[in-house]
Amino acid sequence: MEKLIITAAVVGAEVMKEAQPRIPYTPEEIADEVLKAYEAGASIVHIHARFDDGRPTQDAKRYQEIINQIRQRCDIIIQVSTGGAVGMSAEERLQSLEPVPEMGTLSAGSVNFGDGVFFNDPIMMEQFARRMKELGIRPEFEIFEVGMIANALRLVDAGLVTGHLHFDFVMGVPGGMPAQLPLLIHMIDQLPPGATWSVAGIGRYELPMATHAILLGGHVRVGFEDNIYYRRGELAESNAQLVARIVRIAEELGRPIATPAEARKMLGIVSPS
Ligand code: KMH
Ligand code: ZN
């Protein structure tokens, strides 16, 4: 089977230090956490920027600082969030693309998200796809609901996303699709030939969904953005601890781990930023 790409989502927009004291906020904290996840086996890092006090921001300079810090430490593939936090405008969210990272997320539709709505109407999706195409950034489609695969493929049909297609199924967000194996299999069936996919299971669903993905030939995302626990009632020590567990399971199940260079080839990413 294909080598396994592990994405470490080391910091999202929602979890605060009050809930997980080890979540990184500053560029230095984020880059240190990324290095540990890379050393544990992650080949992609998915990042959100935070102010020093933990508030989420999509400020281009802040992303540039984080990218610079990561680049001083390792050659992991850097994927920025264009989702930001619920309630941010498209213009605000698009700023994270300005440092021209290798990858960016492209959320393929609107979805209830906790108590709010994560808004991505067709005009916004086109805007995000167009900007990533202009800058040569490889999108990762974020799929929170089954129908979003068709939304993503509409962008492909319109010529706004070209080249290799990569999908991330986010399963278990309160308001989005549940983390259930039959749903995952149904979604895999909808993908065009040659597309790659990963699963981000939220909370307690992270580990079982990751294990399903390893067995089904997909890829895996883990990290504090999605899950702060190692097991029930026990906070994870680091993002690296969550990555290391996936590496051990994958090795037992016969999936060697992709290096960043190998992942770049698999995802059609031409050159590091
Ligand atoms: N924070 C969520 C509202 C992404 O990174 O692109 C959106 C999100 C998706 O996390
Ligand atoms: Zn995110």
Side-chain angles (χ1 to χ4, degrees):
M1 258 202 267
E2 204 174 36
K3 288 196 175 182
L4 181 73
I5 299 172
I6 302 174
T7 299
V10 298
V11 50
E14 291 84 21
V15 172
M16 302 297 283
K17 282 191 196 284
E18 286 70 26
Q20 169 47 280
R22 294 186 173 105
I23 193 155
Y25 287 166
T26 68
E28 288 76 15
E29 284 175 352
I30 293 173
D32 287 345
E33 193 65 15
V34 170
L35 176 61
K36 285 189 279 166
Y38 162 82
E39 288 170 343
S43 50
I44 302 178
V45 62
H46 169 79
I47 45 168
H48 289 245
R50 301 283 189 101
F51 290 116
D52 287 354
D53 64 5
R55 279 175 302 125
T57 171
Q58 288 293 98
D59 180 65
K61 280 202 205 106
R62 194 72 173 176
Y63 272 93
Q64 185 68 67
E65 258 182 81
I66 297 167
I67 291 169
N68 293 347
Q69 292 279 341
I70 295 172
R71 277 284 163 267
Q72 283 169 20
R73 289 164 175 75
C74 61
D75 75 335
I76 195 166
I77 298 168
I78 300 176
Q79 176 193 90
V80 299
S81 170
T82 66
V86 164
M88 288 178 172
S89 69
E91 287 64 35
E92 206 174 349
R93 286 166 51 183
L94 277 164
Q95 294 176 84
S96 60
L97 297 176
E98 293 315 304
V100 196
E102 290 175 273
M103 294 186 84
T105 54
L106 208 175
S107 292
S110 302
V111 62
N112 286 347
F113 196 100
D115 293 332
V117 179
F118 181 38
F119 192 78
N120 296 283
D121 72 12
I123 311 266
M124 280 170 75
M125 288 189 275
E126 287 184 21
Q127 202 180 349
F128 282 62
R130 200 167 276 121
R131 190 69 186 132
M132 283 192 228
K133 192 175 177 198
E134 280 165 5
L135 295 173
I137 297 168
R138 169 77 40 224
E140 173 181 278
F141 290 117
E142 301 304 316
I143 306 296
F144 294 85
E145 282 289 1
V146 180
M148 290 188 188
I149 297 172
N151 292 346
L153 295 179
R154 255 177 239 125
L155 296 173
V156 176
D157 288 344
L160 293 171
V161 176
T162 53
H164 182 80
L165 301 178
H166 183 63
F167 295 78
D168 182 45
F169 303 128
V170 187
M171 306 185 79
V173 168
M177 66 180 153
Q180 294 172 353
L181 180 58
L183 258 178
L184 174 60
I185 291 169
H186 174 70
M187 289 192 292
I188 298 166
D189 286 345
Q190 317 295 309
L191 299 184
T196 48
W197 58 273
S198 57
V199 179
I202 303 302
R204 67 182 183 276
Y205 300 108
E206 182 173 85
L207 182 59
M209 296 316 288
T211 309
H212 290 316
I214 295 168
L215 288 167
L216 292 167
H219 303 282
V220 168
R221 173 172 128 171
V222 291
F224 288 168
E225 175 166 358
D226 303 331
N227 165 46
I228 58 175
Y229 292 100
Y230 189 73
R231 59 172 69 85
R232 191 180 161 88
E234 183 185 321
L235 286 174
E237 283 166 14
S238 63
N239 282 278
Q241 188 192 25
L242 298 170
V243 172
R245 173 164 62 180
I246 298 302
V247 171
R248 290 195 300 275
I249 294 169
E251 279 168 356
E252 289 294 331
L253 295 174
R255 292 282 306 272
I257 307 303
T259 64
E262 289 166 338
R264 282 187 180 96
K265 273 202 190 126
M266 291 157 71
L267 300 172
I269 295 172
V270 185
S271 61
S273 54

